[in-house]
Amino acid sequence: GNSVTQMEGPVTLSEEAFLTINCTYTATGYPSLFWYVQYPGEGLQLLLKATKADDKGSNKGFEATYRKETTSFHLEKGSVQVSDSAVYFCALNPKETSGSRLTFGEGTQLTVNP
Amino acid sequence: EPEVTQTPSHQVTQMGQEVILRCVPISNHLYFYWYRQILGQKVEFLVSFYNNEISEKSEIFDDQFSVERPDGSNFTLKIRSTKLEDSAMYFCASSVGAPSYNEQFFGPGTRLTVL
């Protein structure tokens, strides 16, 4: 079956530090890959996505590249801000099937200190 | 900006009671979903709904669960006889088109506590 594995958290960084949150996946075929973010008290928001191998998704300074050879979709940001403190979820959608469901990773709590 | 809303934000109930969780999807969206997250665990898919019927459901979504779109705006999840293990955060989501190619927009969640 499909699965997503994220690096264990929580992650605590100082402002302007470099961020990497690892995500690897298991899926048949060529799924679409997503990063969702959840700010305190809010719902899950799509941060970025990639729908095919070697695509790079980017938004708000965050980037992730769809690597089929390593089945990975690691999230990176060059310089984090306090406002980036949130929970980050990696997810996949298997396009080949009915594709309704998103399969999520465990979520990684990020705290950025001033 | 349009958003998915959910009520209540927190529901406390006794084991064996029925609960109804309510969601108002984005108005022009056609596909609707429920997910849940047990504390400390992954967000899990429950069910998707399109054209007034269930299009996909997970193994979690057994006979105790049902979904309904009772009018043009609400989308509800009913749990007939709650168990302790139903305690979780329940997220509603919607998408404008087929889920394979369209973003799912999530609501803020309803925290269900079963005592």
Side-chain angles (χ1 to χ4, degrees):
Chain A
N2 300 318
S3 68
V4 176
T5 302
Q6 286 180 236
M7 67 184 291
E8 293 192 13
V11 174
T12 302
L13 296 174
S14 298
E15 207 164 23
E16 300 184 2
F18 184 86
L19 169 71
T20 300
I21 301 178
N22 289 336
C23 170
T24 57
Y25 69 89
T26 302
T28 54
Y30 301 90
S32 294
L33 301 173
F34 307 85
W35 277 99
Y36 279 82
V37 58
Q38 185 179 29
Y39 299 103
E42 299 184 17
L44 299 164
Q45 301 174 25
L46 181 65
L47 180 60
L48 53 85
K49 68 178 182 182
T51 58
K52 60 183 188 298
D54 300 325
D55 266 3
K56 178 185 283 188
S58 61
N59 186 26
K60 299 181 181 180
F62 291 89
E63 293 183 340
T65 301
Y66 189 142
R67 301 283 189 203
K68 185 152 181 67
E69 63 276 12
T70 54
T71 61
S72 65
F73 193 56
H74 304 322
L75 182 69
E76 296 182 336
K77 187 174 185 182
S79 177
V80 294
Q81 306 300 312
V82 172
S83 57
D84 294 327
S85 297
V87 181
Y88 292 81
F89 294 91
C90 186
L92 71 81
N93 182 312
K95 297 196 291 289
E96 285 78 13
T97 68
S98 61
S100 288
R101 65 178 73 190
L102 286 168
T103 297
F104 285 89
E106 300 87 344
T108 301
Q109 173 78 56
L110 171 66
T111 301
V112 181
N113 294 318
Chain B
E1 185 175 327
E3 58 182 19
V4 177
T5 59
Q6 292 185 242
T7 54
S9 57
H10 191 188
Q11 172 96 43
V12 181
T13 189
Q14 296 290 324
M15 190 169 54
Q17 295 297 303
E18 173 183 288
V19 295
I20 297 176
L21 309 183
R22 302 180 191 280
C23 168
V24 178
I26 295 172
S27 63
N28 64 332
H29 285 191
L30 300 177
Y31 292 76
F32 314 111
Y33 317 86
W34 284 101
Y35 292 80
R36 79 173 186 190
Q37 185 180 29
I38 295 171
L39 189 63
Q41 299 186 23
K42 297 185 179 188
V43 176
E44 303 171 291
F45 170 81
L46 293 177
V47 67
S48 60
F49 191 85
Y50 168 70
N51 199 26
N52 274 324
E53 60 183 26
I54 291 173
S55 52
E56 185 177 356
K57 61 183 181 179
S58 72
E59 49 284 350
I60 302 168
F61 194 87
D62 61 21
D63 292 343
Q64 292 298 310
F65 292 89
S66 62
V67 289
E68 189 178 29
R69 188 153 163 82
D71 52 42
S73 59
N74 290 283
F75 179 53
T76 62
L77 174 70
K78 181 192 291 186
I79 309 175
R80 289 190 181 80
S81 178
T82 50
K83 308 182 187 71
L84 295 176
E85 55 264 36
D86 293 327
S87 294
M89 181 73 87
Y90 287 81
F91 294 104
C92 174
S94 67
S95 63
V96 65
S100 300
Y101 299 98
N102 291 279
E103 177 185 352
Q104 295 183 27
F105 290 80
F106 284 78
T110 292
R111 180 167 297 285
L112 175 66
T113 302
V114 182
L115 302 177

